[in-house]
Amino acid sequence: MTRPGNRLTRTAAMALLGAMLLPGAAPAQSPFDVFNFFTGSLPDKSAAPAAPRRATVTAQQEPVAALPGSSATPAWSGEDGASGHPLMTAQAIREAAANFDNCVAAFWPDAARRGISRESFERFTANLSPDLRLMDLMDSQPEFTKAIWDYLDILVNDNRLARGREILAQYKPQFDAAERAYGVDRYIIASIWGIESNYSTQMGDRYVLNSTATLACVGRRQAYFKDEFLTALEILHRGDLRPEQLRGSWAGAFGPTQFMPTAFKRFAVDADGDGRRDVVDNPADLIASTANNLKKDGWQSGQTWGYEVVMPQGFDYMKADRKQMLTLAQWEQMGVRRPNGQGFPRSSDKAYVLAPAGSEGPGFLMLNNFRTIMKYNPAEAYALAIGHFADRLRGGQPFVQPWPRHERVLSRSERLELQQLLAQRGFYRGTPDGQFGSMTREALRNFQASIGAPADGFATGDMLERLRGR
């Protein structure tokens, strides 16, 4: 749920996505799982980076600690990581894996400083083994991605909406209590639950302690995952959760709304007063903890996340920027309107324009609460799905404007070429890597403006052809 810097991995909801959307990626609250469909990259969920153990480990046979009932996982490829990081070479991974026991044992002084007993430390770390398959997942760079409209089609569907309405009715007292205590919209909480884990049916099957121990001792994000590992130990030592409950995504997110261990530590609450903060099997704790997370991340009570809007003819898409926060009244003065003809309930609210599919697709005005959702997971596509799913749960309609479904999503090699061509023309000053971020979008906008096209920053096959000069 909350990720230091950027966030999201849930084998739960996002294993769903990892499997459905990304060839070989994983899913909430972790630092790696949800793909940003607008930028063409996996968000680096922890602003500051930072994840083995046992003797000789090979690509064909590496030990993996698992809980009873967990499914077998594919073996590590044995190849260097795609990131090119020195700690992600096959040799470095094997050496770190061989030193896994020593690495974990060296965490004892830090664990003791957190109040973890020696007995708990020995008991919970006794059978851990490096899961080197995580190295492939950490450095996966899918060649193709899903378009935003395909992403929404997968996540916001009739079956999931029907189950969401059942959940809202079944746990109405718990949602009532959470809304009173935290002022967070119940439909947003139910939406996160549905999208993160498909209402607890896809929460991931890797043992969180083993995954975080692996990532704390092997690979390029060891400092980050050391904190997650030690915090997972704290959770077990305190007794909030049992080991068999601590299953999750490859990067350590667990539970129906996919908390990373450190997010659990900051936001989990004991809503029913039973002495445990059980965000896995206790609906009261789960709902209240998710609400507390959003509230502390800046959720504003009584405010929506955003509005679908129609952009006026000739709109300057250079204004479609997160930094351009204007009042809804000011956007109206520029001709931005809601497609159903309704006005904005509070014209003084501030928002920015988001055009995820460029000038040919729907436009949106995003308020503060959209930014709050993005603190839960920094991908715009994810936050849009959460907001839209919540609106549908409360009885709202699908988006009115059509998506440009005729457009083809660029492959990674094409994204790399586009960056290189932008650089050759003097628009892009970064290092071409095939991953689209704000620098690429700005460069593409400037190129589009130079040729008289709508400067919406939307990378299409046509824009690539224009750059090629064809």
Side-chain angles (χ1 to χ4, degrees), residues 171-301:
Y171 299 113
K172 183 179 183 301
Q174 291 88 344
F175 281 110
D176 288 343
E179 274 194 346
R180 286 193 302 269
Y182 304 101
V184 176
D185 178 10
R186 68 183 63 205
Y187 297 102
I188 288 290
I189 299 170
S191 176
I192 290 174
W193 188 348
I195 284 180
E196 289 293 355
S197 67
N198 201 7
Y199 295 110
S200 304
T201 62
Q202 295 167 312
M203 296 190 293
D205 201 34
R206 276 187 163 87
Y207 184 29
V208 170
L209 196 65
N210 198 74
S211 294
T212 53
T214 297
L215 295 164
C217 291
V218 186
R220 59 185 170 83
R221 299 183 66 81
Q222 295 178 28
Y224 170 79
F225 279 104
K226 176 183 177 182
D227 191 20
E228 298 296 344
F229 169 68
L230 291 169
T231 304
L233 277 175
E234 286 185 75
I235 293 169
L236 293 172
H237 172 71
R238 188 181 183 278
D240 282 307
L241 297 170
R242 301 181 301 277
E244 60 269 24
Q245 291 179 292
L246 214 56
R247 294 172 184 259
S249 71
W250 66 266
F254 62 90
T257 57
Q258 294 286 280
F259 280 89
M260 285 298 284
T262 53
F264 175 96
K265 185 175 181 178
R266 287 195 299 277
F267 303 120
V269 296
D270 176 14
D272 62 358
D274 67 354
R276 297 175 64 224
R277 296 176 296 169
D278 181 357
V279 300
V280 177
D281 296 317
N282 184 321
D285 290 358
L286 167 68
I287 293 166
S289 298
T290 307
N292 185 45
N293 185 160
L294 291 167
K295 179 66 175 177
K296 289 189 174 177
D297 272 349
W299 185 269
Q300 294 184 2
S301 301

Side-chain angles (χ1 to χ4, degrees), residues 48-63:
R53 172 179 184 176
R54 208 61 73 194
T56 304
V57 179
T58 68
Q60 290 71 37
Q61 183 180 20
E62 78 274 13

Side-chain angles (χ1 to χ4, degrees), residues 4-5 45 67 134 141 173 178 200 213 224 241 284 317 349 364 385 418 446:
K45 292 190 168 175
L67 292 172
L134 304 188
Q141 294 190 21
S200 304
Y224 170 79
L241 297 170
Y317 280 90
D349 286 345
F364 300 91
L418 184 140
N446 289 331

Side-chain angles (χ1 to χ4, degrees), residues 71-135:
S71 57
T73 57
W76 171 48
S77 67
E79 299 176 353
D80 293 349
S83 66
H85 194 285
L87 292 179
M88 295 300 292
T89 65
Q91 181 180 351
I93 289 170
R94 288 191 176 91
E95 289 174 354
N99 190 52
F100 183 74
D101 284 332
N102 293 331
C103 175
V104 172
F107 291 146
W108 160 243
D110 291 307
R113 281 190 285 272
R114 294 180 179 226
I116 299 168
S117 70
R118 186 77 199 196
E119 188 276 331
S120 288
F121 184 84
E122 294 294 343
R123 176 157 58 99
F124 293 126
T125 64
N127 297 311
L128 301 181
S129 302
D131 179 0
L132 298 189
R133 169 63 177 157
L134 304 188
M135 298 301 105

